Amino acid sequence: MSSLYGKGFSVRTTEYKGNMLVNICDEELIGRTVAEGRLTMHISKDFYFGEIVSKGEALRLIRTCAIVNLAGRRSVSLALENKVGAPEAIREIEDVPFLMVYKFL
């Protein structure tokens, strides 16, 4: 699925120590670099891009993976609205929220 409007979710899945690791970000953030003081985050295609998926597919991946790295308002909100992750774990850099969730299965 590809989007022309930047409303999809960019997803890259991989296996890490026998568990599914998923990186998800709002697709329009791919390639953006954000900074705050000495902290700089590059939202790279290598880390966050494998395919563009719908909200439903992004949610399925968030629910079924063991580890998820999220970047962007829509991605982080999708996880929180579905009781994955905690608001106090969010780190914002230049108004871009980041959230990492490790599930102990």
Side-chain angles (χ1 to χ4, degrees), residues 11-69:
V11 173
R12 182 174 172 266
T13 60
T14 189
E15 192 170 311
Y16 177 75
K17 294 188 178 186
N19 294 302
M20 183 169 61
L21 181 143
V22 178
N23 302 320
I24 300 176
C25 77
D26 300 0
E27 73 170 299
E28 64 274 14
L29 295 176
I30 292 292
R32 184 168 167 197
T33 299
V34 293
E36 181 179 290
R38 295 186 328 191
L39 178 61
T40 300
M41 288 284 295
H42 179 63
I43 304 169
S44 74
K45 195 173 191 177
D46 291 338
F47 191 78
Y48 283 104
F49 183 77
E51 63 181 315
I52 302 297
V53 301
S54 67
K55 181 178 180 178
E57 178 62 9
L59 178 57
R60 185 190 71 75
L61 291 166
I62 289 169
R63 286 180 172 159
T64 59
C65 70
I67 304 166
V68 62
N69 296 300

